[in-house]
Amino acid sequence: MTTRPEALPTPALKRARQLAMYERASKTLPGGTDSNFRAWGTDTIYVDRGKGGLVWDIDGNEYIDLRLGYGPVILGHGDDRVDDYVNERMRRGVSFSLTSEDEVLVGELVKELNPWLGQVRMTVSGTEATMHAMRIARAYTGRTKIVKFEGQYHGVHDYALISVLPNDVSELGDMDNPVGLAWGRGIPQAVADTVIPARYNALDVLRRIFERDGRDIAGVIIEPVLGNAQGILPRPGFHEAIRALTREFGALLIFDEVKTGFRFARGGAAEFFGITPDLATYAKAMGNGYPAAAFGGTTEVMSVLPDKVSHGGTYAGNRVAAAAAVKTLTIIKETDALETVKATGLRVQTGLREVLERRGIAHVFTGHATMFGIMFTEQVPTEYRDWANSDHDLYDAVATGMHARGAMPEPDSREPWFFCEAHAQGDIADRVVTIFEDALDAALDQRAGGAPDQLPRDAERHHLAREAEMLGDGQG
């Protein structure tokens, strides 16, 4: 390993107001937040505002935001183009449980950007979108079972929370016969039994599943990249083989494009990989942070609506979400926003690669330049189980060290870094690389000082909180 510079001292973040807010919030909100994923104990961050590629917490600490709300903010926080349009439209009223022209425009734009789609409906969240897509697949085929892949996250309804994020991958069972692992209590076994887990990029396992249960399989739902394991990419031909296998057995292919849609390309991962699914789900980037979501499919598959399948929602297609989607999708369609996001991600990757190579640290970039991960490993990962073999403790230490220095990736090695159009502004990309370098050196110094497996205080707490969610406090 080459000689590396001595790490700079870790800056001290201001935390007084956030600690007080944590104590206050914990009396009302479980864990002090409205989501388990944001509950980081006394290190929980309480945000004040965001603009462009930056966010500020209530203590005034500034961060380059590499989480972007887990991906929705494709243009930047507080994008004036989107916000001005939403503000103008919402003055006409927000929620009618009647259909507005904005909703029709959203459907037309989603179809225009994804020409394989026949029909589309809006909903409120990615969770609802995948729930409805699974229901449509079961209704259309008359079958009950859905195949999903280990480590993939499709929302928080019961049918999605199987084999999602165990820290101990041995709990997933034999590599040739994965077991369904319910993530959290309260999921009826009868529901869990309708979901069949498979290993991402393992076609032999998937074929055996179809040969065993093919007559009962309604569909395969898949994130085109393994989004909850830093965006692990498919092996060449993987998606093509799944497409062929589902057609062979009369099942549907569902692309969960909640993370990849309108981010990987204007037509999402379906365009990027050149695959035509039967159904797809969208959310996140389609609204630049507003709670907009949609699901759609071929005209034939979607023909089960409205007469044969239940779908509704008081807030589905509400004026705020629809207006945000209209403007965001129009910008994505008519400008080079996605090209800018990709170029920024590639620029950051180049800088990170130079930093890591100077220190002789084995690493692999996963995913797409607009949404990528960094795994400290020599082997190119192909599935969730490979995450366990990477040096994710070092990654967690670096990520939380970056927080203290003014950049905020998710402090969990499974979540990718997200980029938005506003990250191209000023010196943000260069600052990300510098902050990463300083945090890396600090983590390496700590490890060299005799605590190779010890994480910084906040990283360790966050890691244990996630583990508790999946073990004592999460699994029944």
Side-chain angles (χ1 to χ4, degrees), residues 225-474:
V225 300
L226 222 170
N228 253 39
Q230 296 193 341
I232 291 174
L233 290 166
R235 286 173 168 157
F238 180 61
H239 287 318
E240 290 84 352
I242 296 175
R243 177 69 281 186
L245 193 61
T246 52
R247 284 176 173 154
E248 177 184 347
F249 285 86
L252 301 186
L253 176 59
I254 307 168
F255 262 18
D256 179 359
E257 295 239 37
V258 167
K259 280 187 174 178
T260 57
F262 317 110
R263 174 172 283 277
F264 272 37
R266 289 173 179 81
E271 175 186 329
F272 183 78
F273 292 112
I275 299 296
T276 302
D278 301 295
L279 288 161
T281 61
Y282 306 97
K284 294 190 184 288
M286 73 178 290
N288 194 49
Y290 287 90
F295 62 93
T298 64
T299 300
E300 180 180 351
V301 171
M302 291 290 284
S303 68
V304 296
L305 291 169
D307 296 331
K308 299 176 182 178
V309 171
S310 176
H311 166 251
T314 298
Y315 301 112
N318 70 80
R319 178 64 59 73
V320 171
V326 167
K327 193 62 177 181
T328 302
L329 295 177
T330 299
I331 292 169
I332 288 172
K333 170 190 166 186
E334 296 180 352
T335 75
D336 61 355
L338 292 189
E339 288 77 10
T340 299
V341 180
K342 180 180 177 181
T344 303
L346 290 173
R347 179 178 172 185
V348 171
Q349 281 186 351
T350 298
L352 301 182
R353 186 179 296 111
E354 292 173 355
V355 168
L356 292 165
E357 288 178 350
R358 284 199 301 269
R359 288 154 181 78
I361 297 175
H363 63 282
V364 175
F365 289 112
T366 54
H368 184 274
T370 67
M371 177 188 118
F372 68 81
I374 310 158
M375 283 197 187
F376 297 135
T377 179
E378 294 182 355
Q379 302 297 321
V380 175
T382 62
E383 61 171 315
Y384 180 76
R385 295 175 189 236
D386 290 338
W387 164 83
N389 296 320
S390 68
D391 192 348
H392 47 83
D393 284 347
L394 176 60
Y395 177 92
D396 290 350
V398 173
T400 53
M402 291 178 69
H403 282 204
R405 292 165 172 84
M408 191 191 297
E410 174 71 10
D412 185 308
S413 57
R414 287 167 284 215
E415 190 71 20
W417 293 15
F418 292 95
F419 287 86
C420 67
E421 184 185 28
H423 279 141
Q425 297 171 0
D427 63 349
I428 288 178
D430 294 335
R431 286 168 57 197
V432 169
V433 175
T434 299
I435 289 169
F436 174 87
E437 183 172 26
D438 290 345
L440 174 65
D441 286 337
L444 293 173
D445 281 351
Q446 182 183 37
R447 178 167 288 189
D453 296 320
Q454 182 178 345
L455 301 178
R457 177 176 59 89
D458 50 350
E460 181 176 21
R461 183 178 291 114
H462 185 74
H463 180 81
L464 292 174
R466 290 292 290 266
E467 191 172 56
E469 160 65 15
M470 288 171 273
L471 297 175
D473 294 337

Side-chain angles (χ1 to χ4, degrees), residues 9-164:
T10 302
L13 291 173
K14 293 176 286 186
R15 291 286 304 164
R17 295 186 65 187
Q18 290 176 94
L19 286 170
M21 184 64 74
Y22 174 72
E23 294 299 323
R24 172 186 169 189
S26 295
K27 296 175 182 177
T28 305
L29 310 177
T33 73
D34 280 320
S35 168
N36 291 359
F37 301 110
R38 308 171 201 164
W40 303 348
T42 55
D43 293 300
T44 296
I45 292 175
Y46 292 91
V47 70
D48 176 50
R49 67 192 189 281
K51 187 64 178 176
L54 305 175
V55 294
W56 291 264
D57 63 34
I58 61 174
D59 280 293
N61 299 302
E62 178 186 286
Y63 309 91
I64 299 169
D65 188 4
L66 300 174
R67 295 171 72 252
L68 296 177
Y70 294 119
V73 184
I74 190 68
L75 303 174
H77 293 291
D79 185 273
D80 292 336
R81 298 165 295 181
V82 177
D83 291 354
D84 288 348
Y85 185 76
V86 171
N87 287 336
E88 186 275 323
R89 298 299 288 170
M90 69 186 291
R91 291 191 182 97
R92 303 184 181 198
V94 170
S95 192
F96 305 98
S97 284
L98 296 168
T99 303
S100 70
E101 183 182 10
D102 297 290
E103 297 167 68
V104 179
L105 287 169
V106 172
E108 291 171 344
L109 282 163
V110 172
K111 283 182 58 176
E112 186 174 357
L113 295 172
N114 298 270
W116 67 271
L117 284 167
Q119 292 186 316
V120 179
R121 270 197 177 176
M122 287 194 73
T123 186
V124 179
S125 68
T127 286
E128 291 186 22
T130 62
M131 179 181 70
H132 292 306
M134 289 184 187
R135 182 183 300 148
I136 288 171
R138 293 192 295 267
Y140 179 80
T141 62
R143 301 172 180 178
T144 59
K145 295 187 176 181
I146 301 288
V147 175
K148 64 92 63 185
F149 293 89
E150 292 177 345
Q152 298 214 321
Y153 177 75
H154 302 295
V156 290
H157 57 87
D158 287 357
Y159 292 95
L161 292 176
I162 305 298
S163 299
V164 182

Side-chain angles (χ1 to χ4, degrees), residues 185-255:
R185 300 176 185 175
I187 299 172
Q189 189 60 46
V191 171
D193 288 343
T194 68
V195 181
I196 305 173
R199 286 170 44 222
Y200 190 76
N201 273 324
L203 280 171
D204 54 340
V205 174
L206 187 60
R207 174 160 282 281
R208 284 196 294 272
I209 288 170
F210 267 94
E211 289 173 349
R212 183 190 70 208
D213 295 320
R215 287 179 295 180
D216 296 325
I217 294 174
V220 174
I221 187 168
I222 183 171
E223 288 182 284
V225 300
L226 222 170
N228 253 39
Q230 296 193 341
I232 291 174
L233 290 166
R235 286 173 168 157
F238 180 61
H239 287 318
E240 290 84 352
I242 296 175
R243 177 69 281 186
L245 193 61
T246 52
R247 284 176 173 154
E248 177 184 347
F249 285 86
L252 301 186
L253 176 59
I254 307 168
F255 262 18

